[in-house]
Amino acid sequence: MADFQPADLAVRDLVIEYSSGGYKVRPIDQFNLDASAGHLVLLLGASGCGKTTLLSVLAAILRPNSGSVRIGDTEVTELRGAALTEYRRHSVGIVFQAFNLVPSLSAVENVMVPLRSTRATRRGAKERAVSLLERVDLGHRLSHRPSDMSGGQQQRVAIARALAHDPAVILADEPTAHLDYIQVEGVLKLVRDLADDGRLVVVATHDERLIPLADGVVNLTPRADTSPREPEVVRLEAGQQLFAQGEPGDLVYTVDEGEIEIVRARADGSEERVTVVPTGSYFGELAPMFGLRRSAAARAVGPAVVTGYGLRDFRERFDLAEPKVLAQSGD
């Protein structure tokens, strides 16, 4: 089997939008990324921030609304038919969060599945599978089924399977999610070793233990900004929009004059009024607190005046105390 050809990644102006529960969701908006072969890159963020969605686009499982994804010399968004199948089989290897092993098959048979799908002989597929399992330190577990293996061992089988066709790019979705601190050590080392071999490894995770191993980190849910900020007074005309659904949010707003309506775009193009915020109330606090995108748009019902506060200043203004640390491991 030929060795892989190292490939760099270039993402430009990527937009991914879909319908969820009847609402329009855009987790990735005008996203750009450059990553080099031989690097381990983390897509870091909380659930729902778009990590798995972005991996699906890199794997050509999901097609974006717009933008470019280039891996090596291949423009992924333009692939169709046989070229798309070839890319999925040979250019990228995928490690799924839930392992996705076939319960009735042994470790070696699970790794043989993608090899047999490309008409490799049974003998050749088995030799390759055994070699890969030995590489991930599972040579003693070849005949074991998933139910007879720990979570860490199952994840290593999944990594061996992803390497079946010697891809230049490995995409891993939460590879440490189901592992305890004992099992995770071997998987962390293995993920790092894959990049050291010259592959590009992109990992979607919320597990910050991977950060010291990474060459680059893309934080898809930025931490709350608690630095002091000058209040921003905004005067709005009737119907004027303050912020749009899906925008990053870093300010909390008080309504000083008038009313602000909060509206949410539905997938069919219509709008749903969520609420009307009267004079003297505040809104928009969850996005800056949790590093979320705006879940709805805000606009003036009539002429209105609002003031935007940074998170720290908002807490001080409304006398909202920081949570206390009640216990800490190692004390």
Side-chain angles (χ1 to χ4, degrees):
M1 184 173 297
D3 293 336
F4 67 89
Q5 295 296 315
D8 297 337
L9 168 66
V11 179
R12 295 289 179 270
D13 301 322
L14 194 69
V15 176
I16 308 173
E17 185 177 282
Y18 56 84
S19 173
S20 176
Y23 297 105
K24 186 166 61 176
V25 178
R26 182 178 287 188
I28 303 296
D29 191 13
Q30 299 298 318
F31 178 79
N32 294 282
L33 174 64
D34 288 290
S36 300
H39 282 191
L40 169 59
V41 176
L42 302 186
L43 306 177
L44 195 66
S47 298
C49 70
K51 304 187 303 295
T52 299
T53 301
L54 181 54
L55 280 191
S56 296
V57 169
L58 299 183
I61 296 171
L62 179 68
R63 197 176 301 281
N65 296 74
S66 62
S68 169
V69 176
R70 181 168 290 275
I71 293 181
D73 296 328
T74 301
E75 175 54 52
V76 178
T77 63
E78 295 178 356
L79 295 175
R80 300 291 187 277
L84 179 59
T85 300
E86 179 70 11
Y87 172 81
R88 289 171 176 168
R89 283 180 174 174
H90 296 282
S91 297
V92 294
I94 304 174
V95 181
F96 298 96
Q97 178 178 345
F99 315 140
N100 285 13
L101 302 179
V102 181
S104 60
L105 299 182
S106 67
V108 73
E109 289 168 338
N110 266 283
V111 180
M112 288 173 62
V113 168
L115 295 163
R116 294 287 284 165
S117 69
T118 55
R119 298 183 180 178
T121 66
R122 181 172 182 80
R123 180 178 178 179
K126 186 172 183 179
E127 289 177 353
R128 172 71 174 161
V130 169
S131 174
L132 289 170
L133 287 168
E134 289 175 344
R135 176 178 175 179
V136 299
D137 296 325
L138 286 178
H140 62 299
R141 291 289 201 177
L142 300 179
S143 61
H144 287 69
R145 293 181 180 180
S147 59
D148 298 322
M149 293 184 285
S150 69
Q153 289 170 340
Q154 290 183 65
Q155 189 61 286
R156 282 187 276 161
V157 174
I159 291 171
R161 182 183 57 190
L163 291 170
H165 292 295
D166 206 17
V169 179
I170 295 291
L171 307 174
D173 188 13
E174 298 283 6
T176 62
H178 302 295
L179 310 181
D180 60 37
Y181 70 94
I182 295 175
Q183 298 172 1
V184 79
E185 183 176 329
V187 172
L188 291 178
K189 182 179 184 300
L190 183 55
V191 169
R192 179 63 252 181
D193 287 347
L194 294 177
D196 290 340
D197 283 347
R199 291 179 173 81
L200 171 61
V201 181
V202 182
V203 177
T205 186
H206 65 275
D207 189 345
E208 296 187 357
R209 293 175 296 186
L210 277 77
I211 291 177
L213 300 177
D215 299 295
V217 177
V218 179
N219 199 331
L220 295 177
T221 52
R223 296 181 185 276
D225 181 4
T226 57
S227 60
R229 298 182 58 165
E230 287 295 321
E232 297 181 11
V233 178
V234 182
R235 300 183 181 276
L236 301 168
E237 302 295 330
Q240 185 176 349
Q241 183 170 270
L242 177 64
F243 56 73
Q245 182 174 322
E247 286 183 359
D250 59 353
L251 295 178
V252 187
Y253 292 93
T254 59
V255 184
D256 305 320
E257 298 177 20
E259 295 178 322
I260 300 294
E261 65 174 346
I262 308 299
V263 295
R264 187 168 289 146
R266 298 189 65 86
D268 61 7
S270 64
E271 284 187 343
E272 172 188 47
R273 176 183 274 190
V274 178
T275 190
V276 174
V277 185
T279 300
S281 297
Y282 62 83
F283 64 96
E285 70 277 14
L286 294 182
M289 279 184 181
F290 299 107
L292 302 172
R293 292 180 178 272
R294 299 291 188 185
S295 63
R299 65 184 176 218
V301 176
V305 179
V306 301
T307 301
Y309 296 91
L311 192 56
R312 176 176 173 178
D313 300 308
F314 167 73
R315 282 174 169 157
E316 291 177 353
R317 176 181 174 84
F318 288 91
D319 196 25
L320 299 176
E322 294 281 354
K324 297 178 181 179
V325 177
L326 301 180
Q328 184 169 326
S329 177
D331 285 353

